[in-house]
Amino acid sequence: MTGYFQLLLPELILGTVACVLMLLGCSMKVATRKLVPILALVALIAVFAIQLGRQGSDNTSARTLTDISGTFRIFHFAQYIKLLVAGVGIMLLLLAWPTNAEGTGNSALNVGQETGEFFGLMLLSLCGIFLVAGANDIILLFLGIELASIPTYIMVSISRPNPVAQEAGVKYFFLGAMSAAIMLFGFSYLYGTTGSIKLDQISQLLHPQAAVSGLAASMAETDPAQAVIQPWVLLAVIMLVVGFAFKIAAVPLHVYAGDVYQGAATPVTAFLSFVPKTSGFVALIKILYAVGGPAWALPTQLSKLLWVLAVLTMTFGNVLGLLQTNLKRLLAYSSVAHSGYMLTGIAALSGAYLTAGRDRNDVQTDALAGVIFYLTAYGIMNAAAFGVLMLLPARDGRPGTSAETFEDIAGQGRRHVGLGLCMAVACFSLIGIPLTVGFWGKVFLIKPAFAGGNNWLVIIVMFNAAISAAYYLRIVATMFLRDPVMDAVQPAGDAKFPFPIAAAIGLSVTGTLLLGTVLPVTQVFTSSTHIAARIDDGHESVRFEAK
Amino acid sequence: MLVLLLIIPLLGAVIGAALPNPRFAKTWALIVSLLTLGVAIGLVSQFNFHPKVEAQNTVDSIQLRFGAVPGTAATGSAYTLLPLGVSFALGVDSISLWLVLLTVFLTPLAIAASFDSIKERTKEYYAWMLVLLACMLGVFVARDLLLFYVFFELTLIPMFFIIGLWGGPDRRRAAGKFFLFTFTGSVFTLAAIIYLGIHAGGFFISDVVHYAQTALSGPEHTTVRLLLALGLLAGFAVKVPLFPVHTWLPLAHTEAPTAGSVILAGVLLKLGTYGLLRLAIPIGFVGNTAPILTSLLQLVGLLCVVGIIYGALVAWVQQDIKKLVAYSSVSHLGFCVLGLAALNTIGIQGSVLYMINHGLSTGALFLVIGMIYDRYHTRDINQLSGLAKRMPVLAFFFVLFAMSSIGLPGLNGFTSEFLTILGAFTSHTLGIKYGVFAAIGVILGAVYMLHMVACVIWGPLKTPELDHNDSHGSGHDDGGHAHAVPGDINGREIAILVPLALAIVLLGVMPNAILKTILPAVELVQKPEKMKPTQALVVAD
């Protein structure tokens, strides 16, 4: 029993604390409700610490923990994702800290009636990604994805007392439900064709020869026959890709992004730009691994589909971002574009088996590591951009709105130099200027694409980086080079910035610069991502018997 | 020693930004920049200008390699490295040494020239200037391709703020255009650099060049080299700028504050030509005689010639003298790249000399124009006339620098212009046509410069009515009388211009001081196959 407990400790903590938070939220006393965010933070920090400990130990001994029925597996990939989610989750929680109610209009953030639900849902959503990362079972995988998503639908709706937020929540929910249906349809086909719900068994069934010799098979010469999968499996995977594409807001399933991101309160927007995306990417990687086997022997149709998806996503995201006047909408489309960059890594990964030749194993590892690294980079650098928006007031003083338009932030960088510089760092990192983590993120995505022979993909990524520079630079230019719009409602004297939000911005900016400049630190992360990327390392599995 | 060149300005910038009293900021910035100049002079004293071996003549090289060499990774159990062989490698050869000297020479002058004209947010301004200095020096001393790119790209940020915050009325558009144009070009350079780094097994410039010369030498690799050449050209051609992508330059130069224009014209444009010289030429063009690459080189030559003539013609019709000088830069940089595209010793030597001369004379012209602007708040050629009558000393310098820019024999511009055109004439790739048209550009250069000098310096005295309520103040030297007529340049301004004038005359009389010293390095550019890999790096199979 201790085995299960140990295995599921982080998930259990998150789930239990979420329930406690909801109970606390029922209290009539504000003082009790004030405990809610603190407790949530403590829980997340505890989970982060546990994951950090596991990270250290698992780097040395490559072992895979599996529970007895094979539903849940813990391996490097899952460990890294959990650590990442816990770490970024701390920043997102700090951003949502109940201090800035008039800025964000989130009544939960004013320690109102919804405080308990809000933070409880936040933890549940994070718990969902933990399950996605650990799932070895398509049912648990689906449940994890939904656990990560459903709380976000509610969080969007309750985040602001505005009709816009309700509309956003409903829109998000209906489209999300549809994508979940398609995804579930895909899962059912996958089960129907293979007769198994376990991902590792599916992999063995589809690639029997790889299962026998393990990694040795994946090192062998490319066998194009391996990369052919049955049409029904292909159909299943395509439906799953459609479902995941919704979660990561890939074009053409990105249409909700603009409205939902704009409608939700800013801290929720920040949450949306990271959490569903991560769950989508993790699930996508797991499914591709299950279908392709240890050698990632994926059929050309699939890699072409992903290629097209990547190109469409980043191009549309950036071009639409260029056209926006609302900053939250802009960041929504920028988030779409960043999904596109990560999809280039996935495309390079899926195409490597057939195109990269003998060193395809390195290419695949690099590609996957690149995706994971970019996910890390995006999680770190994006928080600062949203945090700065939250601290600046809207020009017309609408209740419940932080800065949303370019007029709102005009000249604010000169008024609050620190905030302006933080925004500049975040924007330069999102562009991919050197000395920020965004630069290395792009480099590590380009490298495997080149090595796998996807030269055109790289050129398209570069074009997109140039397009994206235009609108990110516009943010910096508006903050520093424009004069403040005079009719703005400006608080007299120096505004006091709430500490938790400032701390989140500080963490984000420090992380961005630290990972960008201090290469030994970057190296810790790259080696972790490389270890995480070799999903199937170490076949010995430690099984815990239920006694 | 080399690392001091980067640390001193960076540290100076941080301390300067943290200074409690903004009044000390300018003095502090000047001290820091002079200190950097001192370091550079110390560097020169150590440098062996006449190496016996053709190896890279590095004074010292700090190499901190992060991560293992890719070749050894296969034996290790884990990928415990930044999966690229990035290193912090610094070094100079004689070409980069001269450009370092140009940078550290111009920056204190530019800082001193901002003393009166920059009145707002001085701490930040001088901090950005010092950051810019560090970034520019970083480009010239980097011996690692990725490090080179990092510095190359980082120059954008300080310059963006310098133009955008302290520039003229249209500064926002100028700053944005400057950033976006150069960034768009350089992302393709990044792609090319990463391609090279992956395949060469490391990012040392000498390794990469070695790789291009050995592994990519065959005719079957022409496509790869073409794409690499295009990728590298994309970034550097925008920075130079070559003809069709030059449109950011007049705007940025005109809107930037005086010191910004000086640095932009004097040094930042040289980053483009330096990149062409150091990377694009040896990696893309040398050692492969495929017709497509020759055509590309001829296309570059053609763009240079078009730029020379177009820039000159457009400069001729400008009303704004600063814009005129900006367009003259388009024309001049055409000569500079033409010399590189000639791919012969004379052309490349002339081109390197041109980089330095253009930095001196155009920087000096911008300084003088800034001094005129400080007094009259206009740069309109129609409103200014006969300044020699009121400001004889300024007129002397103005005419001297204009002559240097035209290429009057005896001053510095002549030798380099002559050598680049001679290079084009005698080149295998370019030939006589290019030389003839470039020579026409020389005549046009004299036309627009003399036109400007004639209008502004000679003729009847005409100055604009000064706005008496103008609170920005004209030169400080007129004793604080708001109604006083602006006087001639003061001692500080003379002190700024004299070193430039001296350098211009000296280089005009003895250009061999540079030409001889850069010869070994230039030969290495032409015969990069002689370049040895820096370390016994495992070349990827």
Side-chain angles (χ1 to χ4, degrees):
Chain A
M1 204 57 216
T2 50
Y4 279 128
F5 185 71
Q6 218 179 18
L7 199 63
L8 285 168
L9 189 59
E11 287 83 353
L12 287 175
I13 293 177
L14 287 177
T16 319
V17 174
C19 297
V20 172
L21 293 186
M22 291 192 187
L23 285 176
L24 279 181
C26 297
S27 164
M28 298 305 286
K29 282 191 218 142
V30 177
T32 319
R33 292 205 298 265
K34 273 189 174 162
L35 277 178
V36 166
I38 298 170
L39 202 56
L41 184 65
V42 169
L44 264 181
I45 290 176
V47 169
F48 184 73
I50 293 170
Q51 285 302 334
L52 207 58
R54 290 189 175 173
Q55 189 74 16
S57 68
D58 276 0
N59 276 356
T60 48
S61 70
R63 48 178 204 162
T64 311
L65 299 178
T66 318
D67 81 340
I68 186 158
S69 52
T71 307
F72 203 73
R73 271 176 106 212
I74 295 181
F75 47 107
H76 298 308
F77 177 68
Q79 298 288 36
Y80 184 84
I81 295 292
K82 288 178 188 181
L83 183 71
L84 167 65
V85 170
V88 177
I90 291 174
M91 277 199 286
L92 295 172
L93 181 75
L94 286 174
L95 279 184
W97 204 266
T99 45
N100 202 21
E102 50 301 336
T104 58
N106 184 345
S107 63
L109 300 187
N110 200 19
V111 206
Q113 296 295 340
E114 295 106 342
T115 318
E117 284 92 331
F118 185 82
F119 288 100
L121 291 170
M122 197 177 235
L123 291 193
L124 279 182
S125 180
L126 294 176
C127 180
I129 307 190
F130 274 55
L131 290 178
V132 173
N136 184 35
D137 177 327
I138 53 180
I139 293 178
L140 188 65
L141 189 61
F142 177 75
L143 289 177
I145 293 170
E146 288 309 295
L147 187 60
S149 304
I150 291 172
T152 58
Y153 306 146
I154 308 168
M155 281 161 69
V156 170
S157 301
I158 66 172
S159 69
R160 285 208 286 189
N162 270 352
V164 190
Q166 313 298 325
E167 186 194 323
V170 170
K171 192 167 188 175
Y172 192 30
F173 170 70
F174 279 126
L175 291 173
M178 195 186 73
S179 85
I182 296 173
M183 197 193 305
L184 201 54
F185 204 8
F187 277 129
S188 72
Y189 270 52
L190 198 60
Y191 172 62
T193 44
T194 57
S196 170
I197 56 167
K198 300 281 183 287
L199 290 173
D200 54 349
Q201 286 175 15
I202 291 172
S203 165
Q204 281 169 19
L205 281 164
L206 293 175
H207 299 279
Q209 62 278 60
V212 176
S213 45
L215 262 181
S218 66
M219 298 291 279
E221 282 294 335
T222 305
D223 174 14
Q226 270 225 28
V228 178
I229 55 176
Q230 303 161 30
W232 293 110
V233 178
L234 189 62
L235 182 65
V237 175
I238 287 172
M239 282 197 276
L240 290 173
V241 168
V242 171
F244 301 147
F246 175 84
K247 301 290 176 213
I248 61 179
V251 174
L253 294 155
H254 68 289
V255 281
Y256 70 93
D259 289 343
V260 173
Y261 281 45
Q262 189 183 355
T266 314
V268 179
T269 313
F271 194 79
L272 288 184
S273 71
F274 179 74
V275 170
K277 195 190 291 277
T278 309
S279 77
F281 270 106
V282 171
L284 181 60
I285 290 165
K286 293 194 102 160
I287 289 296
L288 290 181
Y289 184 70
V291 173
W296 301 93
L298 294 164
T300 8
Q301 300 99 314
L302 202 57
S303 59
K304 276 187 184 147
L305 173 75
L306 289 165
W307 197 96
V308 172
L309 204 61
V311 170
L312 282 180
T313 305
M314 59 187 164
T315 312
F316 270 79
N318 278 322
V319 172
L320 289 172
L322 205 54
L323 304 175
Q324 302 307 317
T325 52
N326 183 298
L327 285 166
K328 275 160 80 180
R329 255 189 128 76
L330 185 152
L331 286 174
Y333 288 115
S334 108
S335 162
V336 172
H338 284 279
S339 285
Y341 299 145
M342 285 182 250
L343 278 172
T344 60
I346 303 275
L349 170 74
S350 61
Y353 183 76
L354 289 175
T355 56
R358 279 196 75 84
D359 56 349
R360 61 168 191 269
N361 237 34
D362 286 342
V363 175
Q364 286 159 347
T365 313
D366 273 356
L368 191 51
V371 174
I372 304 172
F373 188 87
Y374 206 92
L375 209 52
T376 317
Y378 184 70
I380 291 173
M381 64 196 176
N382 204 29
F386 282 108
V388 172
L389 281 192
M390 283 174 58
L391 292 182
L392 295 173
R395 189 164 47 97
D396 56 2
R398 287 176 304 249
T401 320
S402 54
E404 283 201 3
T405 58
F406 278 103
E407 281 76 29
D408 291 343
I409 60 164
Q412 297 292 340
R414 281 189 268 174
R415 192 184 296 263
H416 313 291
V417 176
L419 271 191
L421 285 180
C422 288
M423 191 59 151
V425 169
C427 284
F428 285 138
S429 182
L430 289 164
I431 296 176
I433 299 275
L435 296 197
T436 59
V437 68
F439 173 70
W440 293 113
K442 290 239 165 57
V443 169
F444 294 145
L445 280 178
I446 294 170
K447 189 198 165 203
F450 261 139
N454 290 306
N455 296 355
W456 283 107
L457 198 56
V458 176
I459 291 172
I460 295 169
V461 170
M462 284 326 196
F463 261 114
N464 273 285
I467 301 173
S468 75
Y471 60 82
Y472 289 127
L473 194 69
R474 199 166 148 218
I475 299 179
V476 181
T478 311
M479 284 195 85
F480 279 100
L481 309 190
R482 262 178 76 171
D483 293 323
V485 178
M486 280 335 253
D487 61 338
V489 186
Q490 298 297 352
D494 271 347
K496 268 174 66 188
F497 297 130
F499 174 72
I501 299 178
I505 297 175
L507 277 178
S508 161
V509 168
T510 317
T512 305
L513 291 177
L514 200 66
L515 274 170
T517 47
V518 187
L519 289 189
V521 179
T522 323
Q523 190 159 333
V524 171
F525 275 80
T526 48
S527 44
S528 307
T529 52
H530 269 96
I531 289 165
R534 293 192 293 185
I535 290 189
D536 219 51
D537 236 15
H539 271 273
E540 47 161 336
S541 48
V542 180
R543 289 175 182 273
F544 291 103
E545 299 285 335
K547 282 175 188 161
Chain B
M1 191 80 174
L2 275 173
V3 81
L4 281 181
L5 279 179
L6 307 179
I7 288 178
I8 290 177
L10 273 183
L11 216 60
V14 173
I15 295 172
L19 279 180
N21 191 338
R23 275 190 303 145
F24 299 130
K26 51 187 182 183
T27 328
W28 172 252
L30 189 65
I31 292 170
V32 172
S33 60
L34 287 174
L35 213 59
T36 321
L37 176 65
V39 173
I41 289 170
L43 204 63
V44 175
S45 67
Q46 288 182 18
F47 194 80
N48 173 16
F49 278 105
H50 302 285
K52 293 194 184 76
V53 280
E54 277 171 308
Q56 277 197 316
N57 190 350
T58 46
V59 163
D60 63 355
S61 170
I62 298 121
Q63 294 174 359
L64 306 169
R65 279 186 87 83
F66 294 111
V69 179
T72 62
T75 56
S77 59
Y79 233 102
T80 53
L81 57 130
L82 199 62
L84 302 157
V86 190
S87 57
F88 189 78
L90 307 178
V92 284
D93 63 1
S94 44
I95 295 178
S96 31
L97 187 68
W98 279 109
L99 290 166
V100 165
L101 278 180
L102 174 71
T103 313
V104 294
F105 178 68
L106 280 180
T107 308
L109 300 179
I111 287 175
S114 329
F115 274 16
D116 283 347
S117 47
I118 302 296
K119 295 195 168 59
E120 288 174 340
R121 308 159 72 83
T122 45
K123 270 198 308 189
E124 294 159 52
Y125 174 81
Y126 292 106
W128 282 125
M129 282 299 271
L130 291 176
V131 172
L132 183 61
L133 173 63
C135 295
M136 294 184 303
L137 290 174
V139 174
F140 294 132
V141 299
R143 277 296 165 272
D144 182 277
L145 205 46
L146 212 59
L147 191 68
F148 169 89
Y149 180 81
V150 165
F151 284 121
F152 186 81
E153 203 73 327
L154 279 182
T155 54
L156 294 182
I157 295 174
M159 205 61 205
F160 172 78
F161 283 111
I162 288 175
I163 298 176
L165 284 172
W166 293 277
D170 205 9
R171 55 181 181 268
R172 271 175 51 211
R173 203 162 69 87
K177 205 169 175 183
F178 161 74
F179 191 103
L180 291 179
F181 261 69
T182 19
F183 181 77
T184 306
S186 61
V187 286
F188 298 103
T189 306
L190 176 64
I193 285 174
I194 291 175
Y195 182 92
L196 284 165
I198 297 169
H199 290 93
F203 281 93
F204 270 113
I205 290 182
S206 45
D207 293 346
V208 167
V209 172
H210 183 77
Y211 162 77
Q213 288 299 319
T214 51
L216 295 181
S217 57
E220 69 276 17
H221 294 297
T222 305
T223 325
V224 174
R225 284 190 86 161
L226 179 69
L227 285 175
L228 287 175
L230 282 174
L232 292 170
L233 266 180
F236 300 140
V238 177
K239 197 87 174 185
V240 168
L242 281 186
F243 161 63
V245 284
H246 67 281
T247 52
W248 63 269
L249 180 130
L251 191 63
H253 271 67
T254 317
E255 296 303 321
T258 302
S261 308
V262 172
I263 298 294
L264 197 57
V267 188
L268 278 188
L269 305 187
K270 309 306 175 301
L271 302 187
T273 46
Y274 178 75
L276 287 174
L277 171 80
R278 183 66 74 207
L279 303 172
I281 298 286
I283 292 170
F285 297 107
V286 176
N288 192 327
T289 48
I292 181 98
L293 284 172
T294 315
S295 315
L296 181 62
L297 207 56
Q298 282 167 344
L299 178 70
V300 171
L302 183 68
L303 291 178
C304 293
V305 172
V306 172
I308 291 171
I309 294 183
Y310 169 85
L313 289 176
V314 177
W316 195 1
V317 297
Q318 292 306 314
Q319 302 297 307
D320 183 335
I321 47 178
K322 204 171 177 188
K323 213 165 200 165
L324 188 150
V325 177
Y327 272 107
S328 85
S329 280
V330 177
S331 180
H332 285 160
L333 267 296
F335 286 105
C336 190
V337 179
L338 190 71
L340 290 178
L343 278 190
N344 50 18
T345 313
I346 295 176
I348 296 176
Q349 261 186 320
S351 178
V352 175
L353 189 60
Y354 210 116
M355 291 182 209
I356 291 153
N357 288 338
H358 176 261
L360 293 175
S361 52
T362 308
L365 276 175
F366 276 125
L367 283 172
V368 177
I369 289 171
M371 289 166 191
I372 295 176
Y373 184 76
D374 280 348
R375 286 171 174 70
Y376 296 108
H377 302 288
T378 183
R379 296 183 301 252
D380 193 334
I381 210 162
N382 298 318
Q383 292 188 39
L384 294 167
S385 174
L387 291 184
K389 294 200 173 62
R390 186 168 288 162
M391 299 195 281
V393 184
L394 180 134
F396 164 75
F397 283 112
F398 195 95
V399 174
L400 176 74
F401 298 147
M403 290 304 154
S404 145
S405 180
I406 292 170
L408 189 75
L411 298 181
N412 64 346
F414 171 72
T415 330
S416 47
E417 214 158 63
F418 181 75
L419 284 178
T420 48
I421 295 173
L422 190 63
F425 265 118
T426 53
S427 162
H428 293 298
T429 47
L430 298 183
I432 198 154
K433 280 174 284 182
Y434 296 84
V436 167
F437 281 102
I440 293 174
V442 177
I443 300 171
L444 288 172
V447 170
Y448 64 76
M449 269 301 164
L450 292 177
H451 167 72
M452 175 177 79
V453 170
C455 285
V456 175
I457 300 294
W458 313 123
L461 177 67
K462 184 168 82 176
T463 55
E465 286 297 307
L466 281 181
D467 184 0
H468 290 178
N469 299 324
D470 189 359
S471 58
H472 296 296
S474 41
H476 264 211
D477 50 308
D478 26 51
H481 297 289
H483 297 264
V485 176
D488 207 339
I489 52 176
N490 58 23
R492 177 179 61 84
E493 289 165 325
I494 292 176
I496 293 169
L497 297 181
V498 164
L500 282 164
L502 281 179
I504 281 171
V505 174
L506 268 179
L507 283 181
V509 183
M510 32 186 282
N512 263 348
I514 291 182
L515 289 177
K516 273 199 175 152
T517 51
I518 60 174
L519 195 59
V522 167
E523 278 174 353
L524 206 59
V525 172
Q526 285 179 278
K527 301 186 181 63
E529 69 272 12
K530 287 188 182 163
M531 200 181 273
K532 295 183 191 97
T534 323
Q535 295 185 339
L537 276 181
V538 182
V539 180
D541 44 38

